[in-house]
Amino acid sequence: AAALAYMMISQQDPVGLVTFDTKLGANVPPRSRRSQLPTILSQLTKLKAEGKTDLAGSLIQLAAMLRNRSLVMLFSDLLTEEGPMLKALRNLRHAGHDVIVFHVLDEAEVTFPFQGSLQLHDPESGASEPVRAADAAEAYRKTIQEFRDRLDRELSESRIDYVPLDTSMQFDKALMEYLVSRRGRY
């Protein structure tokens, strides 16, 4: 998000930031001045990935705030109810906004590198469940890949860019690959 904000401000494009959990949080209105970058970076450094989120509700609130056609870039793990989330994203696109979804997962959420007996803890609900890694690994990886494939297909059908990322990737390389592929399409 910081790298994209820097690139866009360098091109004198207006950049803003809206954060959310169960409701909208920080709101930095779009500006194209260089002084905008420290404000955005300050808000980004305050973010903590914890607690519950209402992705669909927050996207609906965001759509109501946007007065002009905009480029909306969402950075999320997308671990929420799919139906309402997809509907909210499609509504943004239908309203004329260009939407890019950066699906960011922890490397362990993608590869499931665990061994032995585990106690998996859901940070949003607080629930825990005992699991034998050997029994769960293959099914888990298949489920995550199916989830990503389904999101890619659903979002592509709505002309929404989907960029799957995980924390093992070098962000600059992943970002450049995406930007080059996007430039080739437009």
Side-chain angles (χ1 to χ4, degrees), residues 29-30 50 81 107 136-137 146 163 181:
E50 61 187 15
E81 283 189 65
E107 177 183 13
E146 288 171 350
V163 185
S181 75

Side-chain angles (χ1 to χ4, degrees), residues 32-144:
S32 56
R33 289 183 251 135
R34 289 209 182 269
S35 61
Q36 180 79 335
L37 191 59
T39 305
I40 289 173
L41 295 177
S42 172
Q43 290 300 321
L44 288 173
T45 59
K46 294 176 187 176
L47 291 177
K48 290 186 187 335
E50 61 187 15
K52 295 185 179 206
T53 59
D54 180 5
L55 180 55
S58 296
L59 290 172
I60 291 166
Q61 289 179 328
L62 175 65
M65 290 173 42
L66 297 173
R67 299 288 173 233
N68 301 313
R69 288 187 178 181
S70 301
L71 170 60
V72 176
M73 292 183 277
L74 173 67
F75 294 83
S76 173
D77 61 12
L78 305 179
L79 299 176
T80 187
E81 283 189 65
E82 279 182 59
M85 170 193 60
L86 290 169
K87 183 179 180 186
L89 287 165
R90 287 181 184 124
N91 286 343
L92 273 169
R93 183 68 183 120
H94 183 71
H97 304 293
D98 193 3
V99 181
I100 305 170
V101 175
F102 291 92
H103 186 191
V104 184
L105 294 173
D106 186 272
E107 177 183 13
E109 291 176 307
V110 176
T111 63
F112 199 84
F114 308 108
Q115 297 179 359
S117 294
L118 309 167
Q119 189 74 18
L120 296 181
H121 178 75
D122 181 344
E124 289 192 18
S125 70
S128 290
E129 186 172 331
V131 173
R132 275 185 25 113
D135 295 340
E138 185 177 331
Y140 175 86
R141 284 191 287 268
K142 181 180 178 194
T143 299
I144 285 292

